[in-house]
């Protein structure tokens, strides 16, 4: 390693205060050299690029990902051409059609894209979003019957439907045609539908399995343009420019925590550029009510806009997000944004209360120790926030987490899980369903949802722990912190931050650069409301670097930061600090190690 401690770990850290091994992110030396020479990059930046699996030939497309270079052939998706034909047939025949969407950001942004495309063709598509509390996730026979009774002949499901076998069988019985656009894992059995487009369906050779549903819909719109062009539909009206809706595709990709690689990376990069113009009335109104500003980035989408769009489906009316993203009326957008902002504030309070109770339950239950996943269940927990709570528990205990809220009156538990790299939670939940332990269940590698009878929860816990044991053990052994570069408090400035932004946007598959500061001393430690810890770091370089550790006050790392004794190693991500126009940076602390306890 660069610091001469390859046998021990980066800076000699084999076990940090959070129990992790620190590693230098591995990179091929020859690829690093070629990135330096061919792209004119500094050694640390060239190393970071190579360590993300970018070949010497792929550097240009990675740093400047374009749709032209990376857009997949729509025909490579099973049923994509068939879906486009069915939808254009429906448009020409003016068939009554409805978009059936999931209630999260990916579902809302997928629905909004389709609504906006059909609007350019003079057809307004209604949106149906199931209520999380009364209808649950995805299509149901009851929902499809209501839709059919209203006169609808064709339904397009987005971000749901691929695993809704019972509902799709019902649709066939009642004469309701269904086109499924989804990305979730599914069984080998393909349901009988008019068309099913899903890069993760068995036999699909598109190679685009990392896409969110919003990305699949964006490719579908390209197929719609091609089909409509071939039918002469654009002879008397302009062909829709799909680039105007890239902001919606990017929202789905970021908020569904998809792998930002290949075409999906280009979709997100170009989508953030489009978003930065804030032409979508809903996104603009939401930014204003949240008091946000500036060019759009992953933070805007994932932490400012996304949670507010999700709030409607979590604790409010499920269709608010889709309505916000599809409206062209600034007044309606402002009204919906204000409602979603208020719901988001309420969601935070509900989430805080459930998280605190969940932690208490976890820490008093002896069956959590040594388990493959952290699993906790209790009466009355709101199903709209348990997914967020699961994410927090995963961060805290560094293993997959599953949170179940039980409704005793209905005799049902609704669960939501979040996983870690190397542990396929969605596959395990699907296996539990196949074993008869669940009423419903599915998802993908990193997230899953389920419904279960309360008296089956102990059996489910045992099944998942056994099923995930090997994967979880392997993941725990690999649970380390990969460092991109060693910096000093004096060298951590806006120039360094900006240079590494060449790798953005960051997310799964393209991690945000992780920097380490060695032998730093803590000055002015302060505990903030919400359990955060703020400090100033200094080292031998003579510089001072502001730093913050989120939700760390009750952790060993947080306690070490609040006690100023002795030097520490710190790892984290650089963030811009523009307070009062200073254009500086601060370190968002990820981990802390004590040099006296390394190895």
């Amino acid at each position: 390693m660069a610091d001469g401690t390859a046998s021990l770990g980066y800076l000699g850290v084999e076990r940090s205060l959070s129990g992790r091994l620190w590693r230098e992110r591995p990179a091929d030396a020859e690829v690093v050299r070629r990135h330096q020479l061919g792209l004119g990059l500094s050694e640390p930046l060239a190393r970071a690029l190579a360590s993300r699996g970018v070949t010497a030939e792929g550097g240009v497309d990675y740093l400047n990902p374009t749709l032209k270079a990376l857009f997949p052939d729509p025909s490579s998706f099973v049923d994509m051409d068939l879906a486009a034909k069915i939808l254009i047939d429906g448009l020409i025949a003016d068939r009554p059609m409805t978009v059936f969407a999931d209630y999260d950001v990916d579902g809302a942004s997928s629905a909004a894209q389709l609504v906006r495309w059909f609007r350019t063709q003079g057809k307004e598509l209604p949106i149906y979003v199931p209520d999380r509390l009364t209808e649950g996730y995805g299509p149901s026979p009851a929902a499809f019957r209501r839709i059919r009774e209203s006169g609808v002949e064709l339904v397009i499901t987005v971000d749901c439907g691929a695993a809704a076998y019972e509902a799709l069988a019902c649709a066939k019985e009642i004469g309701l045609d269904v086109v499924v656009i989804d990305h979730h894992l599914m069984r080998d059995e393909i349901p009988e539908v008019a068309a099913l487009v899903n890069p993760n369906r068995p036999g699909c050779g598109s190679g685009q399995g990392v896409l969110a549903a919003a990305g699949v819909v964006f490719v579908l719109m390209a197929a719609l343009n091609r089909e409509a062009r071939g039918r002469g539909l654009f002879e008397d009206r302009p062909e829709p420019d799909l680039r105007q809706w890239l902001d919606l595709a990017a929202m789905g990709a970021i908020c569904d925590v998809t792998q930002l690689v290949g075409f999906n990376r280009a979709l997100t990069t170009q989508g953030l550029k489009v978003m930065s113009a804030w032409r979508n009335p809903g996104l603009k109104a939401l930014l204003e009510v949240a008091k946000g500003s500036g060019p759009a980035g992953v933070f805007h989408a994932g932490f400012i806009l996304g949670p507010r769009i999700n709030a409607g489906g979590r604790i409010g009316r499920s269709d608010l997000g889709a309505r916000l993203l599809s409206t062209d009326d600034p007044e309606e957008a402002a009204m919906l944004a204000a409602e979603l902002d208020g719901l988001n504030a309420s969601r935070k309070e509900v989430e805080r209360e459930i998280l605190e109770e969940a932690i208490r339950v976890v820490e008093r239950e002896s069956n959590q120790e040594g388990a493959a996943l952290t699993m906790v269940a209790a009466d009355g927990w709101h199903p709209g926030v348990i997914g967020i709570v699961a994410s927090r528990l995963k961060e805290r205990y560094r293993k997959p987490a599953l949170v179940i809220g039980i409704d005793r009156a209905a005799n049902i538990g609704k669960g939501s899980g979040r996983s870690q790299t190397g542990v396929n939670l969605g596959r395990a939940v699907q296996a539990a369903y196949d074993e008869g332990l669940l009423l419903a269940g599915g998802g993908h590698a990193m997230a899953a949802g389920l419904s279960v009878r309360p008296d089956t929860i102990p059996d489910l816990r045992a099944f998942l722990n056994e099923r995930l044991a090997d994967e979880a053990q392997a993941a725990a052994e690999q649970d380390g912190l990969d460092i991109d570069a060693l910096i000093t408090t004096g060298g951590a400035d806006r120039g360094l931050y900006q240079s590494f932004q060449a790798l953005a946007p960051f997310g799964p598959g393209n991690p945000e650069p992780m920097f380490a500061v060695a032998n730093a001393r803590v000055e002015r430690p302060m505990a903030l409301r919400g359990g955060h810890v703020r400090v100033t770091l200094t080292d031998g370089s003579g510089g001072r670097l502001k730093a913050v550790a989120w939700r760390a006050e009750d952790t060993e790392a947080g306690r070490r930061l609040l006690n100023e004794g002795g030097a520490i190693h710190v790892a984290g991500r650089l963030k811009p600090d523009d307070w009062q126009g200073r254009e500086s940076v601060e370190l968002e602390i990820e981990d802390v190690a004590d040099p006296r306890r390394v190895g």
Side-chain angles (χ1 to χ4, degrees):
M1 289 197 174
D3 60 3
T5 56
S7 62
L8 294 175
Y10 199 83
L11 295 175
V13 178
E14 282 194 312
R15 187 173 179 81
S16 70
L17 296 186
S18 68
R20 282 181 280 183
L21 166 72
W22 287 12
R23 304 174 293 225
E24 183 176 51
R25 208 182 294 277
D28 183 277
E30 176 59 21
V31 176
V32 173
R33 188 185 70 83
R34 292 181 64 182
H35 283 327
Q36 284 183 267
L37 296 175
L39 302 173
L41 304 180
S42 66
E43 194 279 339
L45 187 54
R47 169 174 285 279
L49 187 63
S51 72
R52 282 155 178 77
V54 181
T55 64
E57 297 74 24
V60 172
D61 280 342
Y62 198 85
L63 295 178
N64 183 30
T66 63
L67 296 179
K68 182 178 181 181
L70 298 167
F71 205 99
D73 178 2
S75 300
S76 66
F77 292 74
V78 174
D79 276 3
M80 182 70 84
D81 292 338
L82 175 60
K85 179 183 182 302
I86 291 169
L87 297 182
I88 296 301
D89 283 345
L91 172 65
I92 293 172
D94 197 24
R95 293 184 76 192
M97 300 159 62
T98 287
V99 179
F100 189 110
D102 188 19
Y103 33 63
D104 68 359
V105 175
D106 193 24
S109 55
S110 298
Q113 288 180 83
L114 279 179
V115 167
R116 289 182 174 281
W117 190 92
F118 276 92
R119 188 177 289 157
T120 67
Q121 305 308 299
K123 188 174 183 65
E124 194 69 28
L125 295 187
I127 302 173
Y128 186 104
V129 184
D131 182 271
R132 186 189 293 260
L133 294 178
T134 60
E135 298 180 83
Y137 167 79
S140 64
F144 275 170
R145 287 193 181 95
R146 280 193 295 274
I147 291 171
R148 186 71 183 96
E149 288 166 2
S150 72
V152 170
E153 298 176 3
L154 174 60
V155 167
I156 313 158
T157 72
V158 291
D159 194 30
C160 59
Y165 293 89
E166 183 183 0
L168 294 174
C170 172
K172 185 181 180 186
E173 290 175 8
I174 61 178
L176 182 66
D177 290 335
V178 181
V179 170
V180 175
I181 312 296
D182 205 349
H183 71 125
H184 291 95
L185 299 176
M186 53 186 299
R187 295 179 238 162
D188 290 339
E189 175 192 356
I190 307 300
E192 285 192 62
V193 291
L196 193 156
V197 182
N198 181 347
N200 287 307
R201 70 175 278 178
C204 183
S206 67
Q208 299 296 327
V210 302
L211 289 178
V216 182
V217 169
F218 194 83
V219 178
L220 171 64
M221 291 194 300
L224 290 173
N225 269 6
R226 187 169 65 183
E227 181 72 17
R229 190 185 313 122
R231 306 270 199 106
L233 266 62
F234 301 141
E235 292 176 1
D236 58 352
R237 67 178 63 187
E239 180 172 331
D241 184 350
L242 305 184
R243 292 173 297 180
Q244 66 186 304
W245 302 313
L246 278 166
D247 50 359
L248 296 172
M251 284 296 302
I254 293 167
C255 295
D256 231 45
V257 201
T258 60
Q259 297 275 317
L260 300 186
V261 297
F263 167 61
N264 202 34
R265 175 174 167 78
L267 202 67
T268 304
T269 301
Q270 302 305 323
L272 289 172
K273 292 178 182 177
V274 171
M275 193 186 302
S276 294
W278 302 110
R279 292 194 185 97
N280 182 292
L283 292 178
K284 181 181 179 182
L286 207 55
L287 183 75
E288 290 173 350
V289 78
K291 297 180 172 56
S293 62
V298 170
F299 180 81
H300 288 82
F303 295 93
I304 297 177
L305 305 174
R308 288 170 169 82
I309 294 170
N310 272 333
R314 293 192 186 284
I315 62 172
R317 286 182 297 152
S318 57
D319 65 345
L320 292 178
R323 287 172 56 199
L324 177 83
L325 297 181
S326 57
T327 185
D328 287 323
D329 181 352
E331 290 188 9
E332 182 184 19
M335 178 190 68
L336 291 170
E339 186 172 357
L340 285 167
D341 187 58
L343 288 170
N344 190 54
S346 300
R347 184 271 305 168
K348 287 181 180 179
E349 182 59 26
V350 173
E351 174 198 330
R352 183 190 61 78
E353 293 173 355
I354 294 177
L355 177 60
E356 290 177 356
E357 186 178 350
I359 290 172
R360 287 195 296 270
V361 172
V362 169
E363 295 186 351
R364 73 168 178 253
E365 288 188 357
S366 59
N367 58 11
Q368 300 288 347
E369 189 155 352
L373 81 165
T374 300
M375 182 169 164
V376 60
D379 293 355
W381 283 352
H382 198 297
V385 301
I386 54 176
I388 307 174
V389 173
S391 293
R392 300 282 186 249
L393 294 179
K394 182 196 77 168
E395 293 168 6
R396 184 181 181 95
Y397 299 109
R398 306 207 58 75
K399 64 172 69 173
L402 176 62
V403 180
I404 300 174
I406 300 171
D407 180 344
R408 291 292 176 185
N411 191 35
I412 193 169
K414 295 291 185 68
S416 186
R418 298 293 182 269
S419 196
Q420 65 187 133
T421 301
V423 183
N424 193 323
L425 185 58
R427 186 168 58 200
V429 167
Q430 182 65 57
Y433 175 81
D434 293 341
E435 285 289 313
L437 294 171
L438 300 175
L439 301 171
H444 48 79
M446 300 300 287
L450 57 84
S451 298
V452 61
R453 292 296 180 204
D455 58 4
T456 310
I457 289 175
D459 295 333
L460 175 64
R461 184 195 301 273
F463 177 87
L464 291 177
N465 272 314
E466 181 179 356
R467 178 87 182 190
L468 295 172
D470 291 343
E471 288 182 24
Q473 182 177 347
E477 291 171 356
Q478 292 297 312
D479 183 27
L481 193 64
D482 293 314
I483 310 293
D484 285 288
L486 184 66
I487 61 174
T488 64
T489 57
D493 57 19
R494 196 58 171 251
L496 177 67
Y497 165 79
Q498 285 296 152
S499 69
F500 274 82
Q501 286 301 297
L503 302 178
F506 302 116
N510 181 36
E512 194 169 352
M514 187 69 63
F515 300 98
V517 180
N519 298 309
R521 293 192 176 273
V522 174
E523 294 182 353
R524 296 193 289 275
M526 181 185 307
L528 305 177
R529 183 178 178 182
H532 314 309
V533 177
R534 182 173 290 283
V535 299
T536 297
L537 301 174
T538 65
D539 61 13
S541 69
R544 280 179 165 74
L545 177 61
K546 291 201 305 184
V548 62
W550 304 116
R551 295 183 294 275
E553 185 179 5
D554 65 345
T555 67
E556 188 173 357
R559 289 188 287 270
R560 182 65 181 80
L561 290 169
L562 289 168
N563 297 317
E564 298 180 64
I568 55 174
H569 299 329
V570 179
R573 306 169 188 85
L574 287 179
K575 300 290 184 179
D577 178 11
D578 296 325
W579 179 249
Q580 296 182 333
R582 63 169 54 102
E583 292 193 355
S584 184
V585 293
E586 72 173 8
L587 189 72
E588 191 175 85
I589 296 173
E590 171 69 21
D591 204 3
V592 176
D594 189 332
R596 297 166 297 186
R597 293 165 52 185
V598 298

